[in-house]
């Protein structure tokens, strides 16, 4: 079975003490994950080492960075390199979240560079794609997301593309309380898998976990995650509440 993943995205919320408490509240529930299940906490950079220490060697729990820079090192004040993340034991990094694409003008080409750097440092990119509302209204979302995959991932080898996690996040559903229906999510995930299969073959495509993101909550996670091509979720708002996120972890297939 493909990995089923509940990935929290805390974004730029909370302080150190609140982050430590939230993590403790979740980990102390001792939810035992099966081998094919995983919970990942994408925390702000100043909390990465603390979070890594807190999750320790707990089976199935790990930590992600929310971003990295698209150059290996150098005079880029304020940026964080993949080598820095690797050197503190980080195994995952979100790449191309829609907020980064929108507010920091991250292009598909720039994201391809980030993906390459992550893979070179054995960091698994959680690669985000998804369409804005006007594209969904024009019913051109399939071509839009296919282009995002093509321009950021199609240069990879069959082996390397299987080291990626994809998160489909329709922008109109992020933080809006407006979730895609489970049918809309399934249709898009099946489309993404067929785009990957067209380029890399069905066997490769079937090994890639595709998460859904966009107002996943405790009360809709089971329904969304139960879809055959949905392999868990990338969760923003609801991941800031221990009970909500615990229910979401327990909703994994
Ligand atoms: C996100 O930021 O990746 C996200 C899906 O946010 P929310 O769950 O709040 O919609």
């Amino acid at each position: 079975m493909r990995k089923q993943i509940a990935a929290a995205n805390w974004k730029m919320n909370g302080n150190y003490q609140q982050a430590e408490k939230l993590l403790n509240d979740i980990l102390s529930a001792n939810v035992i994950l099966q081998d094919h299940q995983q919970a990942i906490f994408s925390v702000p950079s100043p909390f990465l080492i603390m979070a890594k220490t807190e999750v320790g060697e707990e089976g199935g729990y790990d930590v992600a960075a929310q971003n990295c820079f698209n150059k290996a090192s150098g005079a880029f004040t304020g940026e964080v390199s993949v080598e820095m993340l690797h050197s503190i034991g980080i195994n995952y990094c979100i790449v191309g979240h829609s907020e980064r694409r929108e507010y920091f003008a991250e292009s598909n080409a720039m994201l391809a560079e980030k993906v390459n750097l992550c893979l070179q440092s054995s960091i698994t990119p959680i690669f985000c794609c998804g369409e804005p509302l006007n594209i969904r209204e024009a019913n051109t979302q399939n071509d839009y997301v296919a282009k995002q995959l093509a321009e950021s991932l199609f240069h990879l080898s069959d082996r390397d593309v299987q080291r990626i996690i994809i998160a489909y996040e329709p922008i109109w559903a992020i933080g809006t309380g407006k979730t895609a229906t489970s049918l809309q999510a399934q249709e898009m995930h099946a489309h993404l898998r067929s785009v990957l299969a067209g380029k890399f073959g069905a066997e490769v495509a079937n090994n890639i976990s595709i998460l859904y993101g966009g107002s996943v909550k405790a009360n809709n996670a089971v329904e969304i995650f139960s879809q055959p091509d949905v392999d868990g979720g990338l969760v923003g708002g609801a991941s800031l509440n221990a009970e909500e996120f615990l229910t979401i972890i327990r909703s994994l297939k």
Side-chain angles (χ1 to χ4, degrees), residues 9 11 97 99 169 173-176 213-217 234-238:
N9 178 13
K11 311 193 187 192
H97 191 279
E99 288 150 16
E169 301 205 301
I174 296 181
T176 58
S215 298
V216 173
K217 309 275 179 227
L234 179 56
V235 185

Side-chain angles (χ1 to χ4, degrees), residues 3-248:
K3 270 262 183 240
Q4 303 295 304
I5 301 165
N9 178 13
W10 288 0
K11 311 193 187 192
M12 196 180 74
N13 288 299
N15 60 30
Y16 186 93
Q17 290 72 22
Q18 289 165 332
E20 202 172 29
K21 179 173 184 322
L22 178 56
L23 210 44
N24 274 322
D25 287 348
I26 294 168
L27 294 173
S28 62
N30 279 323
V31 176
I32 309 288
L33 297 171
Q34 298 173 47
D35 284 350
H36 70 277
Q37 296 174 328
Q38 188 150 39
I40 301 174
F41 302 95
S42 314
V43 306
S45 297
F47 310 156
L48 283 168
I49 293 178
M50 174 277 288
K52 209 45 207 176
T53 307
E54 292 289 332
V55 300
E57 300 306 310
E58 300 257 352
Y61 292 85
D62 211 334
V63 173
Q66 295 178 9
N67 183 37
C68 60
F69 198 50
N70 62 318
K71 301 282 178 267
S73 65
F76 302 106
T77 302
E79 293 295 339
V80 173
S81 73
V82 289
E83 190 194 343
M84 293 171 189
L85 298 173
H86 180 66
S87 68
I88 58 166
I90 297 302
N91 297 316
Y92 297 90
C93 182
I94 297 178
V95 170
H97 191 279
S98 62
E99 288 150 16
R100 302 284 324 169
R101 291 175 186 263
E102 183 180 349
Y103 305 136
F104 303 94
E106 296 194 354
S107 65
N108 291 337
M110 187 189 290
L111 300 177
E113 293 176 343
K114 294 190 182 199
V115 165
N116 291 346
L117 286 166
C118 284
L119 293 175
Q120 280 160 25
S121 285
S122 300
I123 291 177
T124 299
I126 302 173
F127 178 80
C128 300
C129 59
E131 79 285 356
L133 185 60
N134 63 321
I135 295 291
R136 172 64 65 164
E137 284 174 347
N139 201 26
T140 53
Q141 66 273 12
N142 284 3
D143 289 346
Y144 187 92
V145 294
K147 187 167 185 282
Q148 290 179 319
L149 296 196
E151 293 185 359
S152 298
L153 302 182
F154 274 18
H155 63 285
L156 296 174
S157 66
D158 289 4
R159 187 177 148 271
D160 280 347
V161 78
Q162 292 177 77
R163 298 165 61 202
I164 307 252
I165 297 167
I166 292 179
Y168 167 62
E169 301 205 301
I171 298 171
W172 45 271
I174 296 181
T176 58
K178 202 175 174 186
T179 323
T181 63
S182 52
L183 182 65
Q184 283 174 320
Q186 170 55 26
E187 278 174 357
M188 180 55 90
H189 283 226
H191 169 66
L192 291 170
R193 212 176 290 291
S194 77
V195 169
L196 292 166
K199 172 67 183 171
F200 299 102
E203 201 182 323
V204 169
N206 276 331
N207 286 334
I208 299 174
S209 296
I210 307 180
L211 318 185
Y212 169 79
S215 298
V216 173
K217 309 275 179 227
N219 64 11
N220 60 21
V222 168
E223 157 90 18
I224 295 171
F225 295 175
S226 68
Q227 299 302 311
D229 283 293
V230 177
D231 304 312
L234 179 56
V235 185
S239 73
L240 294 169
N241 177 293
E243 283 312 315
E244 280 266 328
F245 193 61
L246 281 165
T247 303
I248 291 167

